[in-house]
Each structure stands twice: as structure tokens, then as C-alpha cells.
Amino acid sequence: MKLPDFDEDPQWRRLKQSMGLEADAHAAPMSREPRDHAQLTREELDALTSGDGLDIDAHDLTALEDGTFAFKGRRVLVYIRDVADYIGHVHEPRYHVMTCARIRQMMAIGRFRRYVISVEQDGVFTITRRSGATRLRERRRLLVCQACLAGLQFDGFGWSLGATARTTIVRSFSPARFFEQFPETLHSQVPVITALDAPLDDYPPNFSAISQTLRTAAGWLCDDCGEDFSAPERRRFLHVHHLGLKYENDAMHLRVLCIACHADQPGHGHMKRLPDYQALAHRK
């Protein structure tokens, strides 16, 4: 039996029209996405899957609760495609899987426009080398950003590890493995609990012990800035940040951050008014 061409099938097109989708849309609207046109067009889908990357406006990119990126119902990677060739040396950019400190910095200085998005699986990306008036397009294997791995604690990555251990994790990482743990499609992520059985979004009674254990394991170093807070009088400035909900206290959902980096997390700007934030700023 031959399947119909769903892009041209009139019944399928009428069904999409009745759902309020454009005829060339390849994904349903994402309920958490506030934009009116949150579905991929054919051209966007082709660009995402071709390996060439897709230029987008930063406002079209959503940061999910776990810190990863989403575009129109798909989890995506970001990287700088167009790089300069200085005297034969090509800077190889890192690709990013979450809103790490580097990404936040680029957003803050208005340079996030340099990034394109991709759903590349094998870690080989299209790079355009610029040397004077010459433009050379090539495929190149890139490495993942270490700050992103630290933020997700992927494979136990953390700044407290030695350089050799960190390098081993970076080189064994691939987008395919990332998408296995953080699925590319978001449409299956629907609530599975109700108001009657949902856990209370609060810290567990033993959170102090969890925090102490994680900070000790991290060597009292901040995952983002790498500053040392091991001195007894400085330990109060090192926190444990929840990537998700407060009752999710496995290592995958937690990060060790100093109060300064903690305050930079989405929705945590209020921490900059805390006395400890001001005290740390004055001590530096």
C-alpha cells in the first residue's frame, strides 16, 4: 500500500486548516509558546535538518525550565556558523545546549545575533570561514561548551573534575546523546499530574544535607564562574540552584552556584537585593 503525500493530500491540508495551522507547517503549536505562529515551516525544517543552521531572531528562541533551548516546539542547539580566518588560524566555536554563562554574556552585549540554531546529531556543523573577501563553506566537527555541560551536570561534568576527566567527557559528548536525554520534540511533554496529586513545590526537609553534600563534592567552586568558596567564612555565598522544581533534588536538576551567578539565573533577579549578594560584591 502506497502512503499518500501528506504535504499535498487535500484531506490532510483541510485538517491542518481546521486546526488553525498553515498548509506548510510541520509541527503543531506549542502550548507554552506565546507567539501566534509557533510551528515550523517547510523552509525552517529543511534548514534545521540540513546541517546549515537556521538564522533566527533571539526573541523567537525560548529558554526552557531546564535551561535548554527550544524553537517552535523543538529543542535545538546553537552555535556561531560564520567565523573569521586570521592568518590561517580558524577559531572553532563551541556549540551550546543551554543558556550558559557565555550565552548570557553574548545576549547581554547584543551579540547573540551571531548564533544560528540546529538539530545536528553527529556534532559535525557547517562553518563559513571568512578571510578578507573570501568565503569558504565547510563541514567541521565542533566540541560542546564546557559551561553547558557543567550547567546540566551531563555525565557528571563539573569544574571540580581534573582537566583530563573534563576533556574525556567533552570528547565523548554528542548531540545525539544529548537529544536522548533531552528529547528533541516537546509535544509529548504534557502534564502527568493533577492539582490533587502534584507534589508540593517546596524544598525537602533534608535539603540542607543535600546542599552540603553537593557543595563539598564540587570542591566549593561555583559551576559558572569557578570562584573558590572553600574558606569557612565564604561558604554561605555558595548555593545549590534548582534547574526545575524545588522537589526535584537529583543531581540532574541541581547546580552549585555562588550567589552572584545564582542571581543571574532566569527568575532569580530578586536575589540581588539580598544582604549576602551585596556583601560578596563588596568583598571582591
Side-chain angles (χ1 to χ4, degrees), residues 147-158:
C148 289
L149 292 188
L152 297 177
Q153 296 187 336
F154 202 96
D155 284 348
F157 187 98

Side-chain angles (χ1 to χ4, degrees), residues 135-195:
R135 300 292 184 268
L136 177 62
R137 205 170 181 83
E138 62 184 31
R139 298 279 288 167
R140 188 179 287 258
R141 183 173 298 278
L142 302 180
L143 296 177
V144 67
C145 164
Q146 292 194 32
C148 289
L149 292 188
L152 297 177
Q153 296 187 336
F154 202 96
D155 284 348
F157 187 98
W159 297 118
S160 59
L161 296 176
T164 301
R166 294 200 306 270
T167 299
T168 298
I169 294 175
V170 168
R171 295 195 177 280
S172 66
F173 181 89
S174 70
R177 294 186 59 227
F178 168 74
F179 286 127
E180 285 178 3
Q181 185 168 324
F182 298 88
E184 183 182 337
T185 179
L186 303 176
H187 299 309
S188 61
Q189 297 184 5
V190 295
V192 295
I193 53 180
T194 69

Side-chain angles (χ1 to χ4, degrees), residues 19-22 27-30 33-39 60 72:
M19 295 171 64
L21 301 180
E22 296 176 3
M30 184 177 169
E33 172 63 61
R35 301 182 71 86
D36 294 331
H37 51 281
Q39 61 268 343
D60 290 327
K72 295 188 176 182

Side-chain angles (χ1 to χ4, degrees), residues 30-45:
M30 184 177 169
S31 59
R32 72 186 72 185
E33 172 63 61
R35 301 182 71 86
D36 294 331
H37 51 281
Q39 61 268 343
L40 288 172
T41 64
R42 178 193 292 274
E43 291 77 16
E44 290 170 339
L45 182 62

Side-chain angles (χ1 to χ4, degrees), residues 193-235:
I193 53 180
T194 69
L196 297 177
D197 60 10
L200 180 65
D201 186 20
D202 200 0
Y203 299 100
N206 64 336
F207 183 69
S208 293
I210 294 173
S211 173
Q212 180 75 14
T213 299
L214 285 176
R215 290 179 294 162
T216 301
W220 296 91
L221 301 177
C222 175
D223 278 349
D224 259 1
C225 66
E227 188 169 345
D228 187 347
F229 292 86
S230 58
E233 68 273 16
R234 287 171 55 83
R235 293 187 175 186

